[in-house]
Amino acid sequence: MEPSNNTQISRFLLLGLSKEAEIQSLIFGLFLSMYLITVFGNLLIILAVSLDSHLHTPMYFFLSNLSFVDICFTSTIIPKMLRNIQTQSQVITYEGCITQMYFYIFFAELDDILLTVMAYDRYVAICHPLHYMVIMNLRLCGLLVLISWVLIALYSLLHSLMVLRLSFCPEMQIPHFFCELSQVVQLASSDNFLNNIVIYFAAVLMGIGPFAGILYSYSKIVSCICKITSAQGKYKAFSTCVSHLLGVSLFYFTALGVYLSSAATHTSHSSTIASVMYTVVTPLLNPFIYSLRNKDINGALKRFYFMPSLKDQIP
């Protein structure tokens, strides 16, 4: 097949999770349920933080941003996948593929950066409790989030522009359920060496950098906790980090699982299945991780739930 210029490409074909028609309805129902739970759970956290003045603190400000990013992350992938199953079509336009790729990279990396910022917030709260509100003031919190959004937007734009320079054959088949960067680059009919160099360099920079920041923050946290004399004080300090540690572990272990599955088996199907954990299950579980054992969030949700009935009782 002769290579064609990328300006002539009109569409790609997303092969999805399975080619078996018998289980498409099952996949549709399963992913629709997970998507609705993800959106609803993260929206509850955003509403709780927004409506309850007790949660207007840096920690919950970052948590509400994380929940918003998780909603956007899943919304970048799942609705298109569900539509393709419903219409029995595997088509995604060239422009739609590039757009999906941009926002997938954007929200995935933004998740990573926000987890790093949240680790720094926990470090300041535990190691410098008396100066916490002074250090983590509203201006700094807003600035940290703004810088994160701008940097990741430029990072995603770089990858998207690098893909635009490639040429593809007509109606290329992507062995995935969304336009994943490395899969698209490998399908190029033109030289993709520079793209691969950028991908590997960026993966090291954006993977190791934030993770190193999280490790550094928690090394300081552990050091501070060890200096606390009372067992109750140690437990109270550590308990404020449990949810974040679970969120970080889930994010990095699923991301590592995607990498190892693709590197070890060299088959696209195993990598696609592993990607489900990273792209769908992680945003689904985050609301449960950050709310089930969190008394502040649970209290805010209860007050939000009973608010209408209380208003009705007021004469």
Side-chain angles (χ1 to χ4, degrees):
M1 188 178 293
E2 291 298 323
S4 60
N5 189 273
N6 54 9
T7 57
Q8 298 174 335
I9 297 296
S10 60
R11 63 183 190 174
F12 291 102
L13 297 179
L14 295 171
L15 299 185
L17 290 171
S18 174
K19 296 180 180 179
E20 298 180 19
E22 298 80 11
I23 66 171
Q24 294 303 310
S25 297
L26 176 63
I27 293 175
F28 181 87
L30 180 62
F31 275 78
L32 177 60
S33 301
M34 290 193 293
Y35 177 66
L36 293 176
I37 293 171
T38 300
V39 173
F40 181 70
N42 283 289
L43 273 178
L44 281 180
I45 290 181
I46 295 173
L47 283 173
V49 174
S50 302
L51 297 176
D52 196 319
S53 58
H54 297 91
L55 300 183
H56 292 175
T57 62
M59 179 175 72
Y60 293 112
F61 171 72
F62 295 130
L63 178 57
S64 62
N65 273 272
L66 183 69
S67 296
F68 176 73
V69 170
D70 280 342
I71 292 174
C72 296
F73 184 39
T74 53
S75 298
T76 301
I77 300 169
I78 304 304
K80 176 58 181 174
M81 175 189 176
L82 296 177
R83 177 177 171 78
N84 282 5
I85 294 175
Q86 187 180 32
T87 59
Q88 298 182 355
S89 170
Q90 298 176 322
V91 173
I92 184 170
T93 63
Y94 176 76
E95 295 80 6
C97 186
I98 297 299
T99 303
Q100 186 185 65
M101 186 190 310
Y102 173 85
F103 284 108
Y104 165 77
I105 297 170
F106 179 77
F107 291 117
E109 292 300 333
L110 195 54
D111 242 0
D112 194 9
I113 296 298
L114 284 175
L115 287 173
T116 308
V117 172
M118 292 171 73
Y120 174 71
D121 171 74
R122 292 297 82 210
Y123 156 70
V124 176
I126 293 174
C127 298
H128 305 282
L130 298 179
H131 302 93
Y132 175 64
M133 294 308 297
V134 176
I135 298 173
M136 300 302 295
N137 56 72
L138 182 61
R139 181 182 177 184
L140 178 62
C141 292
L143 192 61
L144 287 173
V145 171
L146 178 62
I147 291 174
S148 300
W149 279 72
V150 172
L151 287 178
I152 300 303
L154 295 174
Y155 171 81
S156 304
L157 183 62
L158 170 65
H159 281 299
S160 300
L161 293 176
M162 290 293 293
V163 172
L164 287 174
R165 60 181 285 275
L166 298 174
S167 297
F168 299 90
C169 298
E171 291 196 5
M172 290 299 297
Q173 295 183 344
I174 302 175
H176 222 298
F177 60 95
F178 66 96
C179 290
E180 200 269 332
L181 175 63
S182 61
Q183 294 279 355
V184 174
V185 169
Q186 297 310 314
L187 294 174
S189 56
S190 57
D191 183 25
N192 59 10
F193 177 75
L194 183 59
N195 290 74
N196 287 323
I197 293 297
V198 172
I199 289 173
Y200 292 138
F201 179 77
V204 171
L205 181 65
M206 298 303 297
I208 296 180
F211 186 65
I214 293 173
L215 287 180
Y216 177 78
S217 295
Y218 273 101
S219 66
K220 293 292 185 180
I221 289 172
V222 170
S223 177
C224 289
I225 290 177
C226 289
K227 294 177 182 178
I228 299 175
T229 54
S230 67
Q232 185 179 2
K234 290 182 179 180
Y235 174 80
K236 185 178 180 180
F238 180 74
S239 63
T240 63
C241 303
V242 172
S243 296
H244 181 257
L245 278 172
L246 288 174
V248 169
S249 301
L250 181 65
F251 180 87
Y252 279 101
F253 277 121
T254 52
L256 184 63
V258 173
Y259 173 77
L260 292 178
S261 63
S262 59
T265 61
H266 299 286
T267 60
S268 58
H269 182 70
S270 60
S271 176
T272 302
I273 299 300
S275 295
V276 173
M277 290 294 295
Y278 180 67
T279 58
V280 183
V281 177
T282 299
L284 171 70
L285 293 180
N286 273 343
F288 297 99
I289 290 174
Y290 288 103
S291 63
L292 282 181
R293 296 187 62 186
N294 191 308
K295 295 180 180 179
D296 294 332
I297 293 287
N298 288 329
L301 291 175
K302 288 177 182 178
R303 286 190 290 272
F304 175 70
Y305 177 77
F306 289 114
M307 193 179 296
S309 60
L310 291 174
K311 287 182 177 179
D312 292 340
Q313 296 176 9
I314 298 175

